[in-house]
Amino acid sequence: MSPIAANLQAVRRRIFEALQGDSREVTLVAVSKSQSPDAIRAAFDAGCRDFGESYAQEAYPKISQLQALAATWHFIGHLQSNKARDIAERFAWVHAVDRVKIAAALGKGRPNGLSPLNVCVQVNISGEATKGGVAPDEALALARAVAEVPGLRLRGLMGMARATADAAGQRAEFARLARTFEELRAAGLTLDTLSMGMSDDFEAAIAAGATMVRIGTAIFGARSAKVAA
């Protein structure tokens, strides 16, 4: 068993334990930014099918090189409107929609021959200025606008807790996103995805209701230098 396969096995076991008997399905997105195509292929061979990239120019050659794999590609980084068309053409998911302008650019860039682009509205649950996303009380208005954009399929919400040793604080932030998610569903939006949790906090996110976790270091190890485009 390769180191990546062993890491994936350990992460899956931790996800199972965090669910505590809950039958909810949790999608594991392997965050492959700064990882080589060989590392991604090793994760695929170990059963991983979803991969997350944050840097568009780094991701494109990897997606092209690995196009024979039946992989699902998620764009999880900050999105600039001038790159929206290329991202809409190459990815199946975008996790960080935080403006109507971005949503419109993605919808316009999605080729007619492809299924609608799956998107999540990013919510800033930590209140940190360094993180993108709308405030929780602004999520409903943005989600309603995004849901109306042709070429897109609104799937849910994405958020990141602050990096801290305060586990209770992280749980509170994840719980806030989960409450916002349920409020949007109660308002009539059809949502099925709560994307939250990374290598250092995914158990807390799962306990709060995550249906998708984005994990890099726990699978691939510490990131190396950025892969050249």
Side-chain angles (χ1 to χ4, degrees):
M1 182 181 294
S2 71
I4 288 175
N7 290 344
L8 269 168
Q9 186 178 77
V11 167
R12 291 188 183 110
R13 182 171 60 250
R14 291 169 62 186
I15 290 173
F16 176 79
E17 292 170 353
L19 283 167
Q20 297 184 335
D22 191 324
S23 60
R24 169 180 12 126
E25 182 177 346
V26 176
T27 299
L28 171 58
V29 178
V31 179
S32 51
K33 63 181 181 182
S34 302
Q35 300 299 328
S36 70
D38 286 343
I40 296 170
R41 189 176 286 106
F44 184 90
D45 289 345
C48 192
R49 294 295 179 266
D50 292 83
F51 297 91
E53 293 283 335
S54 296
Y55 308 114
Q57 295 306 315
E58 176 196 322
Y60 299 156
K62 290 194 286 186
I63 292 173
S64 178
Q65 186 172 339
L66 298 169
Q67 61 183 332
L69 301 184
T72 298
W73 295 95
H74 300 244
F75 189 78
I76 60 175
H78 175 71
L79 180 58
Q80 298 174 330
S81 56
N82 64 343
K83 295 183 178 179
R85 175 177 292 277
D86 287 339
I87 287 171
E89 290 177 351
R90 291 172 168 85
F91 287 84
W93 285 76
V94 173
H95 286 237
V97 175
D98 59 2
R99 288 167 287 159
V100 174
K101 178 181 178 181
I102 290 294
L106 287 169
K108 184 178 180 180
R110 187 67 170 176
N112 291 330
L114 297 181
S115 60
L117 179 65
N118 300 294
V119 299
C120 292
V121 163
Q122 183 177 4
V123 181
N124 189 335
I125 53 174
S126 69
E128 296 170 283
T130 55
K131 287 190 172 72
V134 296
D137 60 1
E138 298 173 347
L140 177 57
L142 177 58
R144 280 177 168 159
V146 171
E148 296 299 320
V149 177
L152 304 185
R153 180 185 175 193
L154 177 64
R155 298 294 297 270
L157 303 179
M158 184 275 268
M160 294 178 284
R162 69 181 67 237
T164 175
D166 178 12
Q170 286 182 330
R171 288 195 297 271
E173 290 172 1
F174 288 136
R176 187 176 191 187
L177 187 61
R179 287 195 302 272
T180 303
F181 179 76
E182 293 302 332
E183 289 167 1
L184 268 58
R185 293 180 71 182
L189 289 169
T190 304
L191 307 179
D192 60 12
T193 300
L194 191 50
S195 172
M196 59 185 189
M198 300 185 289
S199 288
D200 292 335
D201 58 21
F202 69 86
E203 281 115 336
I206 290 171
T211 65
M212 186 175 284
V213 293
R214 311 176 306 274
I215 300 176
T217 302
I219 295 172
F220 295 107
R223 289 200 300 270
S224 58
K226 185 176 175 181
V227 176

